[in-house]
Amino acid sequence: MPGVVMAPSYKYKEGEVYHGFQCQRIEDVSEFELVSYTMRHLSTGTEFWYIDRNDANNVFSVHFRTPPINNTGLTHILEHIAMDGSNKFPIRDPFLKMLNRSVGTNQNAMSTTDLTNFICASRNEVDFRNLQRIYLDSAFGPLLTYSNFTQDGWRIEHKDVHDRQSELVIKGVVYNEMIGIFSDNSRILRRDLLKCILPDTAYHYMNGGDPLEIPDLEHSDLVQYYNKYFHPSNGRIFCYGSFDPMKSLEYIDKEYFANKDAIDTAFSHIPPHPRWSEPRQIHVPCRLDILGGSREKQNQISIALLMCDRTDVQGTFEMNVLTELLIRGPNSAFYKGLIEPNFSGGFNKNTGYFLRCRDTYFLVGLQDLKVEDFARFNELYEQTVLKIINEGFEPHHVESVLHNMELAVKHQGPDFGCAVFYTSMSLWNHGGDIVANLRVMDNIAKLRSSLKQNKHYLQQKVEEYFLKNTHKLTITMSADESYEQNFQKATQKVLNQKLKNLDSDDLEAIYQNGLKLKEEQNLIEDVNCLPCLTLQDVQEPLKIPKIWDELIQGVDHIDFMKNYIQEYSIEEIRDKLCAIGSRVFHKANMRVAINSSEAQQPIVLEHYQRYLDRLPSLEKMKNKTDLHLLKPSYHQYEMNIALNYCSKAFYAVPYLHEDHPGLRVLAKLLTAKYLWRVVREQNGAYGTNARIGYDGLFTFNSYRDPHSTKTLEVFDGCYDWLKELGDKLDEEMLLEAKLGVLQLVDWPIPPGETGLDYFNVRVSPQDYRKYRARALSVTIDELRVIIDKYFKQEPKHFGKCIL
Ligand SMILES: [Zn+2]
């Protein structure tokens, strides 16, 4: 590129030490206009990665390499309870409570197959520092109390805590969560596959936890694991954005790393898996899906192949390119080879290239096919691979994939900082070169040059990775009517085993602990140890965000589609779609939004004009604008899943109505102070919330919920709770709820969607400003009026539903 090359001026120097951290590498990544600084803490050895970029959405994260050591869900439970109070913030669920005291754009913790991560992001610096302090303390100073362990992990308790005579059952947030997750057959396939394709390493354990083995975990095992694996030497810290990183370094060094020495972390290292000399095969059962297709088609088949090492940056990049060529879109090789013959329900959900483990792996498979067609799948798979090796890919196709990757570099979303972390974390966790991984343009250039030197380059990769690869696992899965029953029996057996050894003292302790936990859960805690933003900190919006989102979804919709394809032939459906198309797609019926740079405008408009010329012009269809409100309705859909989803909805008022901001504040308040406490903490559902959509629907939801009617009663009881709250509804509660609302309304908007709200739902930037100001200024008295107006009487139009 021509031009004057300036000597780069960096904020920090290689070799210099800043608050105990030595700066080791400084690199520019021009395609993303960022400078990467990698540093290391001198006494503990902790790596610190700072990305300096002119972006207000700052990100902070701490993660540890945490391979599972059994199937008890240890790392998963640890992730949950590390978030359940720490030395500096000794209250239950500070993370959740912060959701109401912050305007963060991301607040999350997760445990994957081999790492545990705490991540937060905010565009407000006061808020960012608040979150950072809480996240650091959760990582380096969690309380890990026994009572938190029993609440989030597992415990034996009376079904009705107050009734000594009621049945003893196993309860726990993670315990229920894992039962819920494996209600999904795709998750069963992925679980069994991972276990079998990497049998000699930590990956054959289920990091989330097997519900049958979770009750084997002891609190002391968990504390011991924490002390070993959550040591600073085994951790990595990430900072991104425009805020001063020196404030972070100083705080970390002073509060957490002073007086800490480095330890050898070889114990958490995961080596590459030894390669097999022969392919393997397994068959596994799964749940019969009563909403699924016909019984004899409830089968899946997948082929899994172990690919290059996670730390091979160019290798994983090229596998990403191959994945696009092999499975993405109707032009791709496996689509043509496996889907076009049309004997299955398409690729299964686990088809793709997976980079979460030390060895990467590729999966391709079909769902909803007959057992007799397994052999056909294998044949077509072989044929497709051979065809690619012999004939290669269309040069045009390769070029379009690479071009799309170049385009993606230019289209950065509003959460770029988090995206950088998520694409780097696994590579970093295994000690790979995280900066080389960001140089996408270099990776593309290298591949182009390999292709120039050898036009069979990609075919040869396919030969090496797919044909000659003996680390190959074929997994088949079939629905089994007794799966659910077998699972119930097995959980009962685990429980019986536990109960067998209990004496009367133990039983008394179970009863007392149940009461104690309930009491703790009901305790109103003083949240003042947590930092909180003031309204001054959030007075000005940074940028107008997007509010519009809508989906076509729902069980009725699935049912309708299922019946529809039964009732009509493909030809009939085609003709119907054509008829609808010819009525819908014509000039008078169309509105268009174009988002482009100024330079591109004439070209875009020219293409648009040409497109328009080809559209038919018909009479404009009549717009029906009457609102049809249905009578109260109750639905229950029986599904073969272990936990329920409950919902109640009623029509309140739409976005532009003056009460909408107040209702939104109220929804936040109900979620944080009422639903979360009762439906999640006391009754054991995984999640619950209240919200109001821009369309005016006010909904209550719960998911992965062990109850149903009980939860609907809780939804109905919200007015009584609000009344009972009385004077306890104070300024602080209101402020928390408002900050929660701001989090939603200030959500950053990607550049490509600028203006879409106005286009789609006619909400102008002025409307948005008014809305935001109204949400911030709602008073307690106004809220009380809204409560009486919308919640005192059962609404005329509402629906309740249980899945
Ligand atoms: Zn979880």
Side-chain angles (χ1 to χ4, degrees), residues 249-266:
L249 293 185
E250 184 183 4
Y251 186 77
I252 296 166
D253 183 55
K254 197 171 114 233
E255 298 291 324
Y256 296 102
F257 290 3
N259 313 321
K260 276 250 158 82
D261 291 327
I263 57 163
D264 179 2
T265 57

Side-chain angles (χ1 to χ4, degrees), residues 708-760:
S708 49
T709 46
K710 197 167 169 183
T711 299
L712 290 179
E713 279 163 20
V714 175
F715 293 164
D716 288 341
C718 85
Y719 181 75
D720 293 340
W721 179 81
L722 285 165
K723 279 284 121 179
E724 216 174 281
L725 192 64
D727 295 339
K728 273 181 252 149
L729 172 55
D730 58 11
E731 289 300 334
E732 185 179 307
M733 266 179 141
L734 189 64
L735 172 65
E736 287 188 2
K738 285 180 183 177
L739 290 174
V741 169
L742 274 200
Q743 243 179 33
L744 294 172
V745 301
D746 282 348
W747 205 256
I749 171 171
E753 291 175 21
T754 311
L756 266 190
D757 274 332
Y758 186 62
F759 182 75
N760 285 326

Side-chain angles (χ1 to χ4, degrees), residues 67 204 208 242 246 274 282 342 344 347 369 417 477 513 535 550 608 632 718 737-738 747 776:
H204 84 276
S242 52
M246 289 299 127
I282 51 165
N342 198 20
S344 72
F347 287 133
L369 76 167
M477 185 170 85
N513 283 339
L535 284 179
E550 198 173 23
Y608 170 58
C718 85
K738 285 180 183 177
W747 205 256
L776 284 186

Side-chain angles (χ1 to χ4, degrees), residues 76 79-80 173-174 177-178 686:
H76 182 187
E79 167 229 314
H80 272 242
V173 175
V174 168
E177 184 190 340
M178 294 317 289
Y686 183 64

Side-chain angles (χ1 to χ4, degrees), residues 197-295:
I197 196 170
L198 295 161
D200 301 349
T201 57
Y203 299 114
H204 84 276
Y205 295 123
M206 207 185 302
N207 72 295
D210 179 343
L212 299 178
E213 294 185 49
I214 289 173
D216 289 338
L217 184 66
E218 300 281 345
H219 179 241
S220 57
D221 302 335
L222 183 119
V223 174
Q224 208 175 13
Y225 186 97
Y226 171 83
N227 288 331
K228 187 170 169 186
Y229 287 79
F230 282 55
H231 187 280
S233 303
N234 196 41
R236 291 180 168 83
I237 301 176
F238 173 76
C239 230
Y240 164 93
S242 52
F243 302 151
D244 183 3
M246 289 299 127
K247 285 189 187 161
S248 307
L249 293 185
E250 184 183 4
Y251 186 77
I252 296 166
D253 183 55
K254 197 171 114 233
E255 298 291 324
Y256 296 102
F257 290 3
N259 313 321
K260 276 250 158 82
D261 291 327
I263 57 163
D264 179 2
T265 57
F267 58 82
S268 70
H269 178 79
I270 305 168
H273 197 283
R275 293 315 198 247
W276 300 340
S277 53
E278 290 290 331
R280 298 181 187 179
Q281 271 182 335
I282 51 165
H283 180 80
V284 297
C286 67
R287 190 171 268 107
L288 181 68
D289 181 359
I290 51 173
L291 279 183
S294 69
R295 168 83 181 77

Side-chain angles (χ1 to χ4, degrees), residues 14-153:
E14 271 179 27
E16 286 284 307
V17 176
Y18 305 90
H19 304 289
F21 288 81
Q22 185 178 50
C23 180
Q24 298 187 320
R25 270 172 71 189
I26 303 176
E27 286 152 287
D28 268 302
V29 180
S30 57
E31 51 255 66
F32 297 120
E33 291 169 327
L34 60 83
V35 181
S36 155
Y37 297 88
T38 34
M39 308 195 183
R40 187 181 285 278
H41 191 255
L42 288 174
S43 52
T44 60
T46 314
E47 282 180 56
F48 179 84
W49 185 21
Y50 168 55
I51 291 183
D52 182 11
R53 190 163 184 262
N54 183 19
D55 181 350
N57 199 8
N58 283 252
V59 182
F60 179 76
S61 135
V62 182
H63 83 265
F64 301 92
R65 189 162 59 215
T66 53
I69 52 172
N70 52 41
N71 289 321
T72 61
L74 193 159
T75 55
H76 182 187
I77 295 169
L78 190 49
E79 167 229 314
H80 272 242
I81 67 172
M83 297 164 73
D84 249 344
S86 62
N87 293 328
K88 289 193 170 82
F89 308 103
I91 59 167
R92 306 165 60 77
D93 258 328
F95 279 73
L96 181 85
K97 287 171 180 124
M98 273 313 283
L99 285 179
N100 310 312
R101 301 169 79 93
S102 145
V103 292
T105 51
N106 187 4
Q107 294 186 46
N108 210 349
M110 65 173 174
S111 48
T112 72
T113 48
D114 55 17
L115 66 83
T116 304
N117 165 244
F118 303 89
I119 187 167
C120 57
S122 183
R123 300 190 292 167
N124 177 304
E125 181 156 7
V126 178
D127 188 39
F128 180 77
R129 299 291 168 203
N130 289 346
L131 292 172
Q132 191 176 34
R133 278 162 53 206
I134 292 164
Y135 276 64
L136 277 165
D137 214 47
S138 295
F140 294 111
L143 297 174
L144 308 181
T145 63
Y146 179 73
S147 103
N148 284 340
F149 170 76
T150 59
Q151 177 188 271
D152 272 71

Side-chain angles (χ1 to χ4, degrees), residues 13 17 92 137 146 161 202 292 314-315 377 457 563 582 599 665 698 769 801-802:
K13 280 205 193 89
V17 176
R92 306 165 60 77
D137 214 47
Y146 179 73
V161 188
Q314 188 66 20
F377 167 84
Y457 183 78
N563 290 333
S582 68
V665 171
F698 195 102
R769 281 220 170 79
C801 180
I802 299 170

